[in-house]
Amino acid sequence: MAACIFFLLMLMVCHSYGQTWPSGTYGLPKPLTGCPSGWTDGRRKHDTEDRNPNNNWSNPLNLAGYQQSSSMEHEFCIKTSTSGSSGWPAGEYCIYKYGSCPSGFQEKFVYWDDEDSGNANTRSGTLPNGVYDNNTRYKFCCRNDGDTSQAISLPTGNNFYLFATKATCQQVNGMAVTLEYFYWDNEDSNNGDDESSGTNTPYPGVVLGGIKLNFCYYQPASAPTWPSGTYGLPKPRTGCPAGWVDGRRKHDTEDTNPNNNWSDPLHLAGYQQSSSMEHEFCMKTSTSGSTNWPAGDYCIYKKLACPSGFQEGYIYWDDEDSGNANTQSGTLPDGDYDNNTKYKFCCRDDGVVSQAITLPTTDNFYLFAVGDTCQQVAGKTVVSEWFYWDNEDSSNADSQYGAHPYLGVTASGQNIKLTFCYYN
């Protein structure tokens, strides 16, 4: 019961400290699920081309309002309060202008030449900055100082829209995104559709015979689970994911002038001493999981078979020869465990470390680096740590083969150094 009460209290604390929308005034397209609490709404009816009308839109389309072949009603969520504790994060996206563009954005516009004959445009409520007569000019705030694949942080309590500035949508932490569109078939006679110059504008904007915009629809993503397959990770002091098993290996390293050393901080479970160390593992022995490991640059421990997309390799530790005191217990990665040690790894090098991958965020965990920088993971802070094994000095046989973590066997040929990427 005490544990349950603690869990509920933690949920309340987490909720009370949930992220708020950035400071400033601005607007977003209104989804069918409505606006964030405290925002106001508005609507604009576009009377589009009546002769051979050809408005069209994606399926699905989660925009509030209605869509017809010769008209559409577009609705807005407008934040009229300047409240908010942070600025908008760097990225590639647009919002509606209301008041002044927040810091980091540039002002843009798109102009709709609506139907000339019997124009029936209407408006009500609170609207973005612009012009609303027989034609329509919306003002936008756009930025192009990031990478759409680099997830940004925004509130996750509501479904919402951003505008795309290119053919792909900005990724947002904790949210699944769907690319939607609407195409306005505007006035055919002497059409005056127009938009700001340059590339940093709502995409694609003015096209032949009308205007098309990409709407990026965000809704909370299902919590990711660990990918399918069997494998292992270094064990952090905080423990293993639920349902995994653990194991440990003691390395008896060089006893004469011992020189094991390690980074500060180092969050590895086990102990570290100048002439020995105990390394612990978190092992996933069930093949369960609904996804594959994402493309990227990192390694994991091999257990039975490497998951899809990985290549196998190993590193061999030539541990202390004299009075060797190696031990092992529990469940271990594939390898050899006698007076020396061989760990087998599964590594991949098919991504970019700066492009965040999606993995579970409920646990702290380690991955191995395959280069001198760590793979980014959405929603996690990463710390690059290391351990250096001072192995047997006499006739040392340290070796490595195939795909393996960085650095591996060092230039001296009788020591091993690995980079551990710690995610918290």
Side-chain angles (χ1 to χ4, degrees):
M1 177 62 72
C4 292
I5 293 172
F6 176 78
F7 178 71
L8 290 173
L9 288 172
M10 288 302 296
L11 284 178
M12 293 171 63
V13 170
C14 290
H15 178 75
S16 66
Y17 286 92
Q19 186 170 6
T20 60
W21 283 96
S23 58
T25 57
Y26 43 83
L28 302 176
K30 182 178 178 180
L32 292 169
T33 52
C35 296
S37 177
W39 293 33
T40 60
D41 63 2
R43 55 208 51 81
R44 169 63 164 178
K45 173 186 173 182
H46 286 266
D47 184 358
T48 53
E49 180 59 41
D50 293 334
R51 182 174 297 179
N52 299 318
N54 191 35
N55 291 346
N56 58 84
W57 51 90
S58 61
N59 183 18
L61 184 68
N62 290 282
L63 285 172
Y66 66 81
Q67 299 85 36
Q68 297 176 352
S69 61
S70 62
S71 68
M72 75 91 76
E73 184 181 69
H74 189 27
E75 298 192 27
F76 318 96
C77 294
I78 305 295
K79 182 175 178 290
T80 58
S81 166
T82 59
S83 64
S85 59
S86 63
W88 283 88
E92 297 185 82
Y93 56 93
C94 296
I95 58 179
Y96 280 119
K97 182 175 184 283
Y98 186 80
S100 300
C101 281
S103 176
F105 290 88
Q106 298 80 46
E107 181 178 331
K108 301 291 180 176
F109 75 86
V110 179
Y111 178 82
W112 277 250
D113 186 347
D114 298 317
E115 172 66 21
D116 288 348
S117 179
N119 181 280
N121 282 355
T122 62
R123 62 189 184 275
S124 62
T126 305
L127 306 177
N129 290 168
V131 178
Y132 302 93
D133 48 29
N134 284 358
N135 300 303
T136 308
R137 179 192 295 259
Y138 294 127
K139 293 186 178 180
F140 298 88
C141 301
C142 297
R143 64 190 308 152
N144 185 25
D145 55 353
D147 186 327
T148 55
S149 64
Q150 297 279 322
I152 63 175
S153 293
L154 290 173
T156 58
N158 301 93
N159 297 3
F160 62 89
Y161 277 102
L162 298 174
F163 289 100
T165 62
K166 58 195 300 186
T168 55
C169 286
Q170 174 67 54
Q171 294 295 307
V172 174
N173 286 322
M175 302 295 277
V177 60
T178 305
L179 178 62
E180 303 177 352
Y181 74 85
F182 192 90
Y183 170 83
W184 289 261
D185 177 20
N186 291 333
E187 173 59 41
D188 288 347
S189 178
N190 299 316
N191 181 276
D193 291 340
D194 195 14
E195 63 185 333
S196 300
S197 61
T199 58
N200 185 21
T201 56
Y203 180 87
V206 176
V207 296
L208 183 63
I211 292 170
K212 181 180 180 181
L213 295 185
N214 281 356
F215 295 85
C216 298
Y217 180 60
Y218 299 88
Q219 52 190 329
S222 300
T225 59
W226 284 99
S228 59
T230 56
Y231 44 82
L233 303 176
K235 182 178 178 179
R237 293 176 190 165
T238 52
C240 297
W244 293 32
V245 296
D246 62 2
R248 54 206 54 80
R249 169 64 164 178
K250 173 186 174 181
H251 285 265
D252 184 357
T253 52
E254 178 59 42
D255 293 334
T256 303
N257 300 317
N259 191 34
N260 290 346
N261 56 84
W262 50 90
S263 61
D264 183 13
L266 183 68
H267 292 89
L268 285 173
Y271 67 80
Q272 299 86 37
Q273 296 176 352
S274 61
S275 62
S276 69
M277 72 91 76
E278 184 182 67
H279 189 26
E280 299 191 27
F281 317 98
C282 292
M283 304 302 301
K284 182 175 178 290
T285 57
S286 165
T287 59
S288 65
S290 58
T291 60
N292 293 324
W293 282 90
D297 292 3
Y298 55 94
C299 295
I300 57 179
Y301 281 120
K302 181 176 181 285
K303 187 64 177 177
L304 299 181
C306 282
S308 175
F310 289 86
Q311 293 77 49
E312 182 180 339
Y314 70 79
I315 300 178
Y316 179 84
W317 277 249
D318 185 348
D319 298 318
E320 171 65 22
D321 289 346
S322 178
N324 182 279
N326 283 356
T327 62
Q328 67 270 346
S329 61
T331 304
L332 307 176
D334 288 357
D336 297 326
Y337 302 93
D338 47 32
N339 284 356
N340 300 303
T341 308
K342 176 190 284 188
Y343 294 128
K344 294 184 178 181
F345 299 92
C346 301
C347 300
R348 64 191 307 155
D349 185 14
D350 57 352
V352 178
V353 292
S354 61
Q355 294 187 4
I357 62 175
T358 299
L359 291 173
T361 58
T362 53
D363 299 284
N364 296 356
F365 61 89
Y366 277 103
L367 298 175
F368 289 102
V370 297
D372 58 2
T373 54
C374 288
Q375 174 67 52
Q376 293 294 309
V377 173
K380 303 294 277 186
T381 299
V382 62
V383 180
S384 180
E385 304 177 351
W386 54 269
F387 191 91
Y388 173 88
W389 287 261
D390 178 19
N391 291 334
E392 173 60 40
D393 289 347
S394 178
S395 302
N396 182 277
D398 289 343
S399 64
Q400 55 195 13
Y401 176 80
H404 60 79
Y406 179 85
L407 173 69
V409 178
T410 63
S412 66
Q414 58 186 34
N415 303 292
I416 292 170
K417 181 179 181 181
L418 297 185
T419 298
F420 296 84
C421 300
Y422 179 60
Y423 299 89
N424 62 359

